[in-house]
Amino acid sequence: LCCCEYVDRRGERNHLAACCCDCEDLDEGCERWLTCKSLPPGALERIADTVADRVRVPWFAGAVKIKVSLVPPLVLLPVFLHVAALHFLLGLVILTSLPVVVLWYYYLTHRRKERTLFFLSLGLFSLGYMYYVFLQEVVPRGHVGHSQVVALTGGLVLMLAALSRAKKDPGYLPIPASDEKSSQQGLPNKGVRGSSNGLHGVTPSGAAGSRAVNGETKGYSRVSVEEPEGVKKDWCTKCQLVRPARAGHCRLCGRCVRRLDHHCVWINSCVGEQNHQAFILALSFFMLTSVYGITLTLRTVCRGRTPFVALFYCPGAYSDYSSALSFTCVWYCAIVTAGMGYILLIQLLNISYNVTEREARLALRDNTGRRLLGGLVIDTGQYNRGFLCNWGHFLSLGSSPPQRSAEDIV
């Protein structure tokens, strides 16, 4: 392939020069739109897939595909912030509409069960752009010392390091081999309790029946056979394996995760047993760094006022464009920090009661938990062993690798 050629999603060889040619779905859609006819089911999805497949840039071994979800934050965020800095009313409208648009996009992708890099790219680019504005507009005013810049930079680096760790394996359960999957599909339905979310508990009779398949004593569990009695195990029909207690199936990742908490769109990954600590650490570093950066900026732009007062009353903020842009970025950071602070608060409360987000949702659905602290936390009571024991359990997550049976090792 030359630098402008690529293999499309259908396996055919194409060229960037023909990116606007030969799109039957788009032609049909335009024709139906001109004749006031409705589009066939799935036409918009096919058009979107074709456009996304053809958005590429030339590269040495062939044109590289660009993730469409990465583009909006890189282009729209600076534009919106610079427009918002032109006038107070424009800033009010834009900073109010941005969270609404982000929540709408989250609802759209969550309903369609799609993974997207939009939120991760928005978060990372927001950090980079806010840091750039701080160095370009705030530091040259001479009210921020070198030690303060170093402290802010160090907090940013620590947050990115924790985020990188949180992006790694959250604790995926190993996928059974293909021969095991084929035998599991013939599993009898007796002894399997159905549930509305596709998870099934295996009764002792069902487990015994599964071990008797092909005349062998192999089970379909991917957990150690030495687990204590009384620990509930679930059968996942998607991954075709028996999960240990507190594990769950992520419908976005398509994998089962040990001690699944939730799928976080901001890191585009699950939060589970292996990365929950890094996730909390990344949130904590973000909160500290963001609050510190907001404080330094407000003390520079609004001299003589405390940061909290200056956030709501800063008469000279729109006296010049540099101050207006800095003040607009402060409010954008404050909105994002408030949202992340709420997530961190819920996480800390859940850890204090030893409950995961997934368990809280299931408890609300089944009406088996009790609301505490005004509904901020749902206590299931199943794993709650007291504040200190709960935090000790959380801090020991991932300290020792999960045990595996001899047949799993083989």
Side-chain angles (χ1 to χ4, degrees), residues 33-51:
W33 179 71
L34 292 174
T35 56
C36 299
K37 295 180 181 180
S38 60
L39 293 175
L44 291 178
E45 288 78 3
R46 291 194 297 270
I47 294 174
D49 292 340
T50 302
V51 172

Side-chain angles (χ1 to χ4, degrees), residues 134 138-139 141 143-153 289-303 307 330:
F134 179 80
V138 179
V139 175
R141 292 172 179 256
H143 301 294
V144 179
H146 294 289
S147 60
Q148 294 171 321
V149 175
V150 171
L152 185 68
T153 306
T289 306
S290 179
V291 171
Y292 187 59
I294 290 173
T295 302
L296 292 177
T297 304
L298 288 176
R299 286 179 177 174
T300 301
V301 176
C302 304
R303 303 289 296 173
V330 162

Side-chain angles (χ1 to χ4, degrees), residues 68 120 254-255 281 287 332 360 391:
V68 179
L120 178 61
R255 296 283 300 274
L281 201 60
M287 292 294 299
Y332 175 75
W391 272 96

Side-chain angles (χ1 to χ4, degrees), residues 139-263:
V139 175
R141 292 172 179 256
H143 301 294
V144 179
H146 294 289
S147 60
Q148 294 171 321
V149 175
V150 171
L152 185 68
T153 306
L156 186 63
V157 171
L158 290 175
M159 192 278 295
L160 292 176
L163 181 63
S164 175
R165 174 62 187 86
K167 282 284 296 175
K168 294 183 179 179
D169 180 16
Y172 291 122
L173 289 174
I175 300 177
S178 57
D179 56 342
E180 292 179 347
K181 281 188 176 182
S182 61
S183 63
Q184 290 158 11
Q185 292 175 355
L187 200 68
N189 290 329
K190 292 182 180 181
V192 178
R193 299 190 304 271
S195 61
S196 59
N197 62 349
L199 309 179
H200 303 274
V202 181
T203 62
S205 60
S210 66
R211 293 188 182 95
V213 176
N214 296 334
E216 297 180 1
T217 58
K218 286 186 178 180
Y220 300 104
S221 172
R222 278 317 211 187
V223 296
S224 173
V225 295
E226 298 177 356
E227 292 225 11
E229 295 183 1
V231 175
K232 182 181 178 182
K233 299 178 183 178
D234 291 325
W235 170 259
C236 180
T237 58
K238 300 293 185 180
C239 297
Q240 297 290 298
L241 52 81
V242 178
R243 302 178 303 208
R246 310 191 76 176
H249 182 85
C250 177
R251 61 181 184 177
L252 297 178
C253 296
R255 296 283 300 274
C256 283
V257 182
R258 293 182 180 273
R259 197 184 177 276
L260 174 64
D261 189 86
H262 70 288
H263 181 93

